[in-house]
Amino acid sequence: MSQGVLRYLARSFVNGGNRDGGRYLLGTFEAEFGRWNGVSCGVIYARRMLSSSATEPAPIDKEKKGSAIAEEEEEKKKNGGGAVVPSSYWGISRPKITKEDGTEWPWNCFMPWETYRADLSIDLKKHHVPKTFADKFAYHTVKLLRVPTDIFFQRRYGCRAMMLETVAAVPGMVGGMLLHLRSLRKFEHSGGWIKALLEEAENERMHLMTMVELVKPKWYERLLVLTVQGVFFNAYFVLYLLSPKLAHRVVGYLEEEAIHSYTEYLKDLNSGAIENVPAPAIAIDYWRLPKDATLKDVITVIRADEAHHRDVNHFASDIHFQGRKLKDSPAPLGYH
Ligand SMILES: [Fe+2]
Ligand SMILES: [Fe+2]
């Protein structure tokens, strides 16, 4: 703080507080604070004021600020008029993104270039026949896990899907993370598998974000997710370290079960046992569905995604089974 300001404050204090001067200082701060419309900007400007040698801002400062605002507005226009994030200090702003129909893109969690139309022509009946001991172990483990799931959820498929998606999004993240660390340790490429597995995890998470629009989790379901995540994340992490071949095979069979569950869900939607409500907005944008899409359309595209995950994971397990490395076999990137 400069000597000028200190002198001013001391004089105000000795005079019993020069209210006019104080109000002026505060008034100027408020005016600037309002204009910049941001706490950090307001504070930055207040500091600038206090570090200047005069209590009254020089006209030249106002001109400078005016031109800075004009420059900022110009920059906004260049970036497509997008909203500037609360603190512009770091120069971060999101350009304005529009949909094909010209309306503003409403999501921050995914962008238009990450959306896709699901390939519904995929064979839903494809199955990997377990041959080796590891395959049979994976197959029967998954079948065994299905028993308590069937008992707990029965035909409450909305709730079942929501809860199972919290688990389904874990393997891709664990596998992707471990391959990422391996790539760093070994100074080698991953063949695209890091990205492919992380894409799968993100896709599964979008299934969850969609389901949660339709079914609101109860407190005990949230508690169950916490417990299951704690157990499953660690179990899958250790399994992937010990045998990625077995880990991918387990996920392949889990995906086969997911296809079965979503097929049952569709049966209940067709019979009217579950109401075929309009599709959530997030699903319409993510899978580029028509505006009048329904829950049936959403479940159909999610089921197609699960079939793709099934293929990717059985394929990865086969690569290991043949004694080859994932990095030597190009990953199915963008495989939906
Ligand atoms: Fe899923
Ligand atoms: Fe899946």
Side-chain angles (χ1 to χ4, degrees):
M1 196 182 293
S2 72
Q3 287 181 347
V5 173
L6 283 173
R7 262 201 304 276
Y8 171 81
L9 292 172
R11 202 164 49 236
S12 300
F13 183 74
V14 169
N15 292 340
N18 184 336
R19 290 173 190 273
D20 285 347
R23 202 159 47 227
Y24 175 78
L25 191 66
L26 188 65
T28 311
F29 172 77
E30 280 171 348
E32 292 303 325
F33 185 81
R35 186 193 288 182
W36 285 77
N37 195 25
V39 174
S40 54
C41 292
V43 170
I44 288 165
Y45 182 59
R47 280 193 190 138
R48 274 192 199 145
M49 277 181 61
L50 289 171
S51 64
S52 74
S53 59
T55 53
E56 195 172 331
I60 194 159
D61 282 352
K62 281 186 179 175
E63 280 170 24
K64 274 183 190 169
K65 285 198 295 291
S67 68
I69 291 166
E71 276 172 25
E72 195 177 308
E73 289 298 319
E74 194 58 38
E75 193 61 31
K76 263 195 208 176
K77 278 182 198 163
K78 271 191 218 163
N79 290 335
V84 174
V85 289
S87 167
S88 62
Y89 176 75
W90 304 106
I92 296 170
S93 64
R94 199 191 85 172
K96 191 177 179 184
I97 297 163
T98 52
K99 290 188 190 180
E100 281 169 358
D101 61 7
T103 56
E104 197 171 340
W105 182 253
W107 312 103
N108 284 327
C109 52
F110 66 102
M111 291 291 124
W113 50 90
E114 293 167 64
T115 66
Y116 61 97
R117 283 195 178 87
D119 171 18
L120 301 179
S121 67
I122 192 161
D123 184 356
L124 298 170
K125 296 214 157 42
K126 226 189 248 183
H127 165 63
H128 179 271
V129 180
K131 293 177 198 115
T132 64
F133 174 76
D135 286 355
K136 286 173 187 165
F137 178 78
Y139 180 75
H140 291 294
T141 303
V142 171
K143 283 286 176 198
L144 203 67
L145 285 173
R146 195 170 150 186
V147 176
T149 315
D150 281 349
I151 294 168
F152 186 80
F153 295 109
Q154 297 178 353
R155 293 199 79 81
R156 292 183 298 134
Y157 284 109
C159 189
R160 181 188 186 119
M162 180 190 68
M163 297 293 278
L164 291 183
E165 293 297 356
T166 67
V167 173
V170 171
M173 183 56 67
V174 171
M177 177 186 70
L178 287 173
L179 292 182
H180 175 81
L181 295 176
R182 183 189 177 88
S183 169
L184 304 182
R185 280 197 318 273
K186 303 247 176 183
F187 302 93
E188 63 184 25
H189 289 284
S190 74
W193 280 94
I194 299 170
K195 206 174 270 183
L197 294 181
L198 294 182
E199 266 181 11
E200 181 190 302
E202 174 64 6
N203 185 239
E204 294 284 20
R205 201 177 61 81
M206 286 303 290
H207 292 175
L208 177 65
M209 294 300 105
T210 300
M211 293 313 299
V212 89
E213 291 290 319
L214 301 158
V215 188
K216 297 292 167 209
K218 296 179 180 68
W219 69 267
Y220 57 85
E221 288 166 343
R222 288 176 183 270
L223 201 66
L224 185 64
V225 170
L226 267 177
T227 314
V228 171
Q229 190 174 92
V231 173
F232 184 72
F233 175 88
N234 288 293
Y236 193 80
F237 178 79
V238 173
L239 179 63
Y240 204 96
L241 281 176
L242 296 175
S243 172
K245 175 172 68 178
L246 181 59
H248 280 296
R249 190 65 81 207
V250 168
V251 178
Y253 286 127
L254 280 173
E255 299 291 354
E256 288 186 19
E257 290 303 325
I259 296 166
H260 172 77
S261 294
Y262 281 115
T263 301
E264 292 297 306
Y265 198 162
L266 281 171
K267 275 184 195 167
D268 278 7
L269 280 165
N270 286 327
S271 71
I274 298 175
E275 193 188 350
N276 189 23
V277 294
I282 192 169
I284 290 175
D285 285 337
Y286 186 65
W287 283 282
R288 298 184 204 162
L289 294 170
K291 279 185 180 148
D292 59 349
T294 62
L295 178 55
K296 213 187 288 183
D297 301 310
V298 175
I299 300 305
T300 305
V301 290
I302 292 180
R303 184 177 62 171
D305 284 351
E306 308 298 10
H308 287 82
H309 303 158
R310 171 203 63 194
D311 293 357
V312 171
N313 282 280
H314 280 318
F315 175 52
S317 185
D318 285 352
I319 292 168
H320 282 293
F321 183 74
Q322 289 160 12
R324 291 185 290 134
K325 289 179 178 169
L326 286 186
K327 71 180 178 73
D328 300 325
S329 309
L333 281 168
Y335 181 70
H336 291 297

